[in-house]
Amino acid sequence: MKKRVAVLGATGSIGKSALDVIARGKDHFELVLLSSHRNGDALAALGRQWPGAAAVLSGETGGRERLFAAIADSGADITLNGISGAAGLEPSIAAIEAGSDIALANKETLVMAGPLVMQLVAEKKVNIIPVDSEHSAVFNLIENLTTNQHQPTRTEERSLQSTGSCSSCGSWLNEIILTASGGPFRERSLKEMENVTAKEALAHPTWNMGAKITIDSASMANKGLEVIEAAHLFNVPSEKIKVVIHPQSIVHSMIRTKDGAVYAQLSRPDMRHPIHAALYWPAVAATDLGRLDFDTALSLDFFPPDMERFPLLALAYEAVRKGGLYPCVYNAANEAAVAAFLAGRIGFLDISRITGYVLDRDWSTKPDDIAAIMEADRQARIMAEKEF
Ligand code: NDP
Ligand code: MG
């Protein structure tokens, strides 16, 4: 039986890569739903290419309601969420409610509402399989090590993941080490970063991604979001999550076990690899995507991150440590500030200044539901907007 797949954010960078993986695996997958937000022409073209799939444009009047209804009706076995930003949270919830597994690229889902989402995932007995390359690496490293150590059945592994906690990892997992390219300003001083343009910030050295995440990579907010994402996804305290700069983006992340060994996952920097792994999971399927080539010289460098030059990374650690609404507010303020930077309204360093300013009040309330999260998101944006 073919796996039924929904692709949300199909016109984006992740969405296109996902459709390429699905097209290469037509015998394995049936595409049931496509969505985009404003890009109706591109969605219509995809609709012609994939006539069996429903297509929803969420940005037109009533579009968001149609998207939720389509997610509920899709019958998808797995929903790949490639929507950018906070707008991806509620579609993730809708898919989980509908009993679909989630191939999660939209890291905001876990950053904004990690505890609530993981609880819902457990209740609905679905799985979150990360697509973010770092988390995909860690997920597969943990899964492979777990298999080797305890030889659980697939079902047990699934339930381990669906509880969201790597409960059996506590005894042997010592540390998660997330790699970061360092972005285009890796070697710039704060002074030099003051006047950088959006064009410079959009020139990522190793990855070709959507605009928002590319700016986040330049400021290292992306790694900050990923620290929060990892804390929830793998149920580990942030002290056990390290970040290391690795400019080549070939080692996608590492884990350290209590015996001191460090295990790494490597591939060429191509998001189709983690998407392939997520869509075929739990199978390990052959792929004709390019292989990492050791026939030519290959150098891998690692440096510690500089929290002074990249304060958004330090702010993320603080936000996840404080919990409550802090992670949601971190995301909202940063997202609003990045949009203002891209629109030429503020400078690059204002992104971290404004995010820090918005975080600098009491956001410690523990949200009871998604509505409380969306309200904090709204308030944080209003507060940020006043500073632009
Ligand atoms: P893009 O900007 O390239 O694509 C975003 C997609 O989401 C588009 O299809 C867009 O539709 C749709 N969209 C935009 N706004 C909304 C909205 N308000 N409601 C519903 N849909 C919307 O983003 P990326 O593909 O780069 O990133 C997507 C997600 O994946 C982000 O959360 C990002 O952090 C994460 N991610 C991305 C990686 C990458 O390599 N790009 C790597 C790891 C994670 P339209 O085209 O109509 O505007
Ligand atoms: Mg990533």
Side-chain angles (χ1 to χ4, degrees):
M1 259 228 325
K2 289 187 184 180
K3 226 186 227 186
R4 293 163 64 88
V5 189
V7 177
L8 311 181
T11 48
S13 157
I14 288 288
K16 284 183 203 149
S17 294
L19 293 178
D20 182 79
V21 170
I22 294 166
R24 287 164 190 263
K26 277 211 161 124
D27 297 344
H28 297 274
F29 301 116
E30 179 191 349
L31 187 67
V32 294
L33 174 62
L34 292 161
S35 87
S36 79
H37 196 56
R38 295 199 192 283
N39 199 340
D41 291 346
L43 187 68
L46 289 177
R48 287 190 291 277
Q49 221 174 313
W50 301 90
V56 179
L57 191 63
S58 57
E60 55 183 16
T61 315
R64 204 148 161 90
E65 283 62 43
R66 271 200 297 285
L67 176 62
F68 294 138
I71 292 170
D73 293 345
S74 72
D77 298 307
I78 185 161
T79 301
L80 182 133
N81 188 346
I83 293 174
S84 57
L89 170 60
E90 288 170 313
S92 284
I93 300 284
I96 298 167
E97 294 272 10
S100 170
D101 281 350
I102 307 288
L104 189 67
N106 180 266
K107 58 193 82 185
E108 292 83 356
T109 294
L110 284 175
V111 171
M112 294 172 74
L116 291 173
V117 169
M118 295 314 285
Q119 192 189 331
L120 189 63
V121 160
E123 277 167 28
K124 297 287 172 186
K125 297 190 167 46
V126 298
N127 301 286
I128 293 195
I129 307 111
V131 164
D132 214 349
S133 55
E134 298 75 6
H135 305 73
S136 170
V138 171
F139 178 89
N140 285 294
L141 287 166
I142 289 178
E143 188 161 276
N144 282 304
L145 275 162
T146 309
T147 309
N148 292 340
Q149 292 205 356
H150 309 294
Q151 298 178 339
T153 64
R154 270 347 271 201
T155 318
E156 276 166 344
E157 275 172 57
R158 276 171 189 254
S159 70
L160 172 97
Q161 293 303 336
S162 66
T163 59
S165 66
C166 187
S167 43
S168 68
C169 297
S171 58
W172 57 268
L173 182 67
N174 186 260
E175 200 168 56
I176 287 175
I177 304 158
L178 301 178
T179 52
S181 72
F185 306 143
R186 181 168 61 85
E187 291 179 327
R188 303 261 183 120
S189 67
L190 273 171
K191 185 92 198 110
E192 286 167 329
M193 277 189 261
E194 218 162 74
N195 296 314
V196 293
T197 61
K199 192 167 170 236
E200 287 173 272
L202 284 170
H204 196 278
T206 47
W207 295 100
N208 184 8
M209 312 179 286
K212 195 298 178 153
I213 184 176
T214 306
I215 301 300
D216 284 349
S217 299
S219 71
M220 290 203 73
N222 182 48
K223 214 47 53 179
L225 294 169
E226 292 183 356
V227 167
I228 304 172
E229 180 186 9
H232 295 307
L233 187 61
F234 303 114
N235 194 26
V236 291
S238 56
E239 306 85 76
K240 288 197 163 202
I241 305 172
K242 287 266 174 302
V243 169
V244 59
I245 306 294
H246 165 50
Q248 291 87 1
S249 302
I250 283 176
V251 173
H252 297 304
S253 274
M254 301 178 266
I255 61 175
R256 193 195 307 268
T257 52
K258 74 173 179 192
D259 57 4
V262 174
Y263 295 83
Q265 192 264 1
L266 290 74
S267 75
R268 293 184 315 112
D270 178 339
M271 284 308 293
R272 291 176 302 176
H273 285 295
I275 291 169
H276 172 98
L279 290 182
Y280 281 94
W281 183 86
V284 176
T287 168
D288 52 7
L289 298 172
R291 288 156 66 95
L292 185 60
D293 175 15
F294 290 100
D295 292 334
T296 49
L298 177 65
S299 300
L300 302 174
D301 297 312
F302 300 95
F303 310 98
D306 182 342
M307 302 271 187
E308 308 253 307
R309 283 189 301 127
F310 297 98
L312 279 160
L313 183 55
L315 285 171
Y317 272 103
E318 202 182 316
V320 70
R321 195 174 44 73
K322 287 182 172 169
L325 291 165
Y326 283 97
C328 167
V329 166
Y330 172 84
N331 177 66
N334 175 64
E335 198 170 304
V338 168
F341 171 68
L342 284 171
R345 295 173 66 197
I346 59 172
F348 184 70
L349 294 183
D350 292 328
I351 302 172
S352 56
R353 182 181 60 76
I354 291 167
T355 305
Y357 165 80
V358 177
L359 279 168
D360 193 21
R361 45 214 73 187
D362 186 3
W363 297 103
S364 58
T365 310
K366 207 170 148 219
D368 292 330
D369 51 23
I370 298 297
I373 303 257
M374 296 314 289
E375 178 55 22
D377 176 272
R378 199 181 65 83
Q379 284 177 19
R381 283 167 202 268
I382 292 171
M383 220 172 267
E385 180 68 31
K386 288 196 183 128
E387 286 292 293
F388 298 159

